[in-house]
Amino acid sequence: MNNIIPLRTRPLPIFVILLLLLFSFSFAQNNSLPLIPIPVEVQQMTGSFSVTAGASITYNRAESRSAAEMFANKIRVPTGFSIAPKQGTDGSIQFGLLDKRNQQIGAEGYVLEVTPRGISVSANSAGGLFYGMQTLLQLMPKEIEGGVVANIDWTIPAVRITDYPRFGWRGIMLDVSRNFFPKEDVKSYIEQIARYKYNVFHWHLSDDHGWRIEIKSLPKLTKVGAWRVERAGSFGSRTDPIPGEKATVGGFYTQDDIKEIIQFARQRNVTIVPEIDLPGHSMAAIASYPELSCKKDTGTMVNPGTHFAEWYGNGTFKMNIENTLNPSDENVYSFLEKVFGEIAELFPGPYIHVGGDECYKGYWAQDTGCIALMRRLNIRHVEDLQGYFMNRMEKILKAKGKKLLGWDEIIEGGISPDATIMSWRGVKGGIEAARTGHDVVMTPTTFSYLDYNQGDQTVDPPIYAGLRVKKSYSFEPVPDGVDAKYILGGQGNLWTEQIPNLRAAEYMSYPRAWALAEVYWSPKEKKDWRNFSRRMELHFTRAEAADINYSRASFDAIIKTSIKNGALIVAMDKELSDLDIYYTIDDTMPDDHSLRYTNAVELPGGPVTLRVITYRNGKPIGHLITLKQDELQKRAGK
Ligand code: ACM
């Protein structure tokens, strides 16, 4: 048997070597392409195309013009090239709607081809062309995101990309009630998320802290409901309004503003889903029209962020100020007819979100009208009045040709199978809803709440809970045992109690909204944290070029403590594998000469302070995290 060459040393056939070379080349190249969300198919080819002042941009039909114009506008400032797109099919950069439908890419997909001779973006729809154009921009040097001329070569690697989304619903919710975001900021935010191929902007337009949409037949909603008294300090612990105090903080969108934003979103393949949160979360409406509540307290004011709710854990709570509409009052339904009449006229999308979350029924339980209604309906539990209310809502919306969408509480009271459920208290509600035939949008707190802090709670401003980008990235929207056809897709939710402006909204959104964009767009099989995290860092540099804010919590150490035999044990972790963690427990500042973390360590007793810093390639990169003994012990108790 000595004629057999051991496998290790046997020469590989030449075609295998070539194949391996090709594979490793394309693998390495794919890794370095800064694309988020990662496309379905990427074929790297040799060579590149450079955009120069002599480039020409063409579009084949009126409907493909918008993508061509947006591309030309986007590159105008950073390249300094003023290229006017023309109708035709002979440009060096072509945007083309397909004459014959490409079944593989569906309604929102695209094919992008870059060769040394030129670029072509083709799709079945204007939305697909918009997405192809975004991928093309991501392939360009990061300076394309800047606001000044950059004298560089605008080289794009030769590539053929075929891409289409996994889910049809890829949303981000922005709460504009807790803090008002001016029209231009809303547009900027929509633009930002559309560039990551989100196609739903869920607009949380009303809550206890402000009513933000002009309803012409109910002028007090914005004259009164859009304004609160000025208060500083942490949301949820601010002082009460003083009776008669002037309410000066807030704002609202006129119907003309709304139309402008809808049009802006539509050009970017984004459908807007307006939300009016009912029957709870309605203090701003009640401040405007107190007669809609049970107590009819004319002293109700829009809340400036006081501590008016008691949370008892396991989902129970009490509202110390009434913030629910009265479900037994027919005037409430006349009010809602008017509100949704105007909203249905304004918003072309099929869905209207009616909230339904965290509705406190304590005032209903004591109201004679509600008690009489329960008797008439043979309802034993006041909780079930919400089901009655939501079914009335659904009838109102149906009559206006709209579909009802609500937070997962709406299934508890019994709702028609036509209602779509947004699962936020974990995925449990979504699973139950899908099993009973409802369409579901997955947006669980555990993976998709963008208001939760991203890094160590001693570094990021405090909020109810934490959620790291790696966890968001690990989200699988279709739970085991659920028929995928009921899962429309998912969302990230940006509640803004602690977010006063766009810069802060960006910080909280990114990079988690990029991670979720990949979860909702890209094939499940392509998900790979290490690969994503490299692309994420490339997008940090692009965000910097665009002057868009983001969190750097991924560069920080993750510090956990436990208690074993009475001693404090510290375990540290990291999201990025190439970070080195250094720490001190001797009240000195840590650097790369300090203790290097490898395994869990037992801390000595006494008043120790742990200081931790991360390094990469010999340079400090993360935040300094300082944990005193009480914080170390508190963590162990969690
Ligand atoms: C919610 O977060 N209250 C839907």
Side-chain angles (χ1 to χ4, degrees), residues 168-187:
W169 187 298
R170 306 177 303 279
I172 293 281
M173 186 214 75
L174 178 67
D175 165 11
V176 293
S177 172
R178 271 52 180 268
N179 276 299
F180 177 67
F181 286 72
K183 179 175 74 175
E184 291 310 322
D185 288 353
V186 173
K187 282 196 199 167

Side-chain angles (χ1 to χ4, degrees), residues 178 275 277 281 357-358 407 409 424 445 449 493 495:
R178 271 52 180 268
E275 179 187 352
D277 203 346
H281 286 275
D357 59 321
E358 299 171 326
W407 300 110
E409 283 94 333
W424 73 278
T445 53
Y449 264 41
N493 292 339
W495 301 101

Side-chain angles (χ1 to χ4, degrees), residues 180-225:
F180 177 67
F181 286 72
K183 179 175 74 175
E184 291 310 322
D185 288 353
V186 173
K187 282 196 199 167
S188 174
Y189 193 67
I190 291 172
E191 168 91 33
Q192 290 174 29
I193 62 168
R195 300 199 57 201
Y196 287 87
K197 303 187 173 74
Y198 281 100
N199 66 352
V200 174
F201 177 63
H202 169 177
W203 208 0
H204 186 78
L205 286 162
S206 78
D207 213 301
D208 302 316
H209 308 92
W211 181 284
R212 305 298 182 205
I213 174 169
E214 178 190 25
I215 301 295
K216 290 185 195 276
S217 56
L218 296 160
K220 281 203 275 181
L221 281 174
T222 43
K223 193 159 182 283
V224 176

Side-chain angles (χ1 to χ4, degrees), residues 142-378:
K142 68 175 186 334
E143 288 79 3
I144 204 68
E145 299 299 336
V148 290
V149 180
N151 285 314
I152 59 166
D153 284 337
W154 299 99
T155 304
I156 305 169
V159 72
R160 185 186 159 85
I161 293 175
T162 303
D163 198 16
Y164 47 88
R166 178 177 174 202
F167 294 105
W169 187 298
R170 306 177 303 279
I172 293 281
M173 186 214 75
L174 178 67
D175 165 11
V176 293
S177 172
R178 271 52 180 268
N179 276 299
F180 177 67
F181 286 72
K183 179 175 74 175
E184 291 310 322
D185 288 353
V186 173
K187 282 196 199 167
S188 174
Y189 193 67
I190 291 172
E191 168 91 33
Q192 290 174 29
I193 62 168
R195 300 199 57 201
Y196 287 87
K197 303 187 173 74
Y198 281 100
N199 66 352
V200 174
F201 177 63
H202 169 177
W203 208 0
H204 186 78
L205 286 162
S206 78
D207 213 301
D208 302 316
H209 308 92
W211 181 284
R212 305 298 182 205
I213 174 169
E214 178 190 25
I215 301 295
K216 290 185 195 276
S217 56
L218 296 160
K220 281 203 275 181
L221 281 174
T222 43
K223 193 159 182 283
V224 176
W227 305 96
R228 60 176 166 82
V229 296
E230 186 165 7
R231 286 291 179 276
S234 276
F235 202 95
S237 60
R238 296 178 182 165
T239 51
D240 289 328
I242 301 160
E245 187 180 355
K246 266 218 159 342
T248 54
V249 175
F252 65 93
Y253 311 102
T254 65
Q255 294 201 355
D256 283 342
D257 291 339
I258 302 258
K259 285 179 196 154
E260 189 182 319
I261 292 171
I262 290 169
Q263 172 68 3
F264 181 89
R266 202 203 315 239
Q267 285 164 348
R268 288 155 182 79
N269 200 46
V270 171
T271 300
I272 300 187
V273 175
E275 179 187 352
I276 300 297
D277 203 346
L278 303 164
H281 286 275
S282 293
M283 208 185 296
I286 294 170
S288 316
Y289 297 99
E291 63 273 23
L292 301 173
S293 66
C294 292
K295 283 175 61 188
K296 310 188 193 314
D297 180 353
T298 52
T300 306
M301 291 176 79
V302 177
N303 196 275
T306 70
H307 175 85
F308 69 86
E310 310 294 340
W311 301 95
Y312 304 124
N314 64 35
T316 57
F317 51 88
K318 177 179 178 215
M319 301 293 171
N320 296 324
I321 304 174
E322 187 178 15
N323 70 343
T324 40
L325 302 184
N326 179 352
S328 72
D329 185 350
E330 283 306 311
N331 292 321
V332 166
Y333 301 103
S334 314
F335 164 84
L336 294 170
E337 272 285 349
K338 288 184 190 162
V339 169
F340 288 116
E342 295 190 34
I343 287 180
E345 278 277 310
L346 272 172
F347 290 89
Y351 293 96
I352 292 179
H353 199 307
V354 294
D357 59 321
E358 299 171 326
C359 172
Y360 176 64
K361 283 99 178 176
Y363 298 94
W364 296 359
Q366 289 162 24
D367 181 77
T368 49
C370 288
I371 294 166
L373 176 64
M374 284 170 65
R375 227 176 269 134
R376 185 161 66 75
L377 298 171
N378 206 13

